Every structure is written in C-alpha cells, then in structure tokens.
Amino acid sequence: QVQLVESGGGLVQPGGSLRLSCAVSDRTFEISFAAWHRQAPGNQRDMVATITGRNSTNYADSVKDRFTISRDNAKNTVYLQMNSLKPEDTAVYYCQADLMHYSGLYYPNNWGQGTQVTVSS
C-alpha cells in the first residue's frame, strides 16, 4: 500500500467552506480512480464522492450540489471542495486512490490517514 497524505480539515461554522487535499508524494505513481469517504463515531463509513481516470464524477445524495471532487495531475493531488457545510457533515474524511506505477504495475486501494472536519457554531 502507498500512503496518501491528507490536509485541509478543521473547524468551521455552518454555511462555511473547506477544501481537503490528498497528495501522492512519490511521482513514480499516477492517480487513476480516487474517492473521498467519511465516518462519524457510531456510523458506518460512507463514500461521498468519486472521480475516475477520465474525470467522470459521482456524489452521494447528501453532498450533491455542495461538494466538488477534482484533481490536479501536475501536482499529483485530489481535492474535495466543501461548500455550504452542515453540522451533519462532521466526520473524519478519508482519501482513497488507485495508483498506476510507471513500471506498469497497478496498486489499488491506497488510503490517506484521515482528517477531521467539524461543523459547529
């Protein structure tokens, strides 16, 4: 497994915005498929957004029209822009990505360390 480094979490008021980042430092890998998941205490882990290697995106109904997943191939980074945040968005957010090595080997299902997002007044 190749480690993904997450950043951008924090405390925001309802209606505020945050942008999460998920970076692959090793430039011998290229991100193909990527996804963001979240999990609150006592809840199951839910997928909130996905992006394919062809930049096709998909969102959970609970975040659609508020969250946007994107990628910057030059920086080897995936982002999650979160707008109009609600208290129910409070959770630990995890990045997941399938990676292609320049050698031609495929490394699926790599994960970030998780970053806390808290939405509260």
Side-chain angles (χ1 to χ4, degrees):
Q1 181 173 308
V2 180
Q3 183 171 324
L4 311 176
V5 180
E6 299 183 32
S7 62
L11 173 65
V12 295
Q13 295 183 338
S17 298
L18 284 174
R19 188 177 74 163
L20 306 183
S21 298
C22 174
V24 183
S25 297
D26 191 340
R27 298 308 303 269
T28 63
F29 291 92
E30 178 183 3
I31 299 173
S32 53
F33 172 88
W36 288 95
H37 311 252
R38 68 185 183 186
Q39 186 170 19
N43 291 56
Q44 65 181 2
R45 185 175 63 189
D46 296 323
M47 182 179 293
V48 299
T50 64
I51 185 167
T52 71
R54 308 298 291 269
N55 287 326
S56 177
T57 59
N58 186 264
Y59 301 92
D61 289 341
S62 58
V63 307
K64 191 172 184 179
D65 300 324
R66 298 188 297 119
F67 291 10
T68 303
I69 187 171
S70 62
R71 69 201 301 157
D72 186 335
N73 292 331
K75 296 182 178 180
N76 230 20
T77 301
V78 176
Y79 303 97
L80 184 67
Q81 179 67 47
M82 304 183 293
N83 299 324
S84 302
L85 284 162
K86 305 175 180 179
E88 50 263 45
D89 295 319
T90 296
V92 177
Y93 284 70
Y94 298 92
C95 177
Q96 180 264 319
D98 299 339
L99 306 175
M100 178 66 72
H101 192 260
Y102 294 163
S103 67
L105 294 176
Y106 190 61
Y107 291 77
N109 204 34
N110 305 280
W111 290 83
Q113 81 280 9
T115 185
Q116 177 71 48
V117 172
T118 302
V119 184
S120 176
S121 59

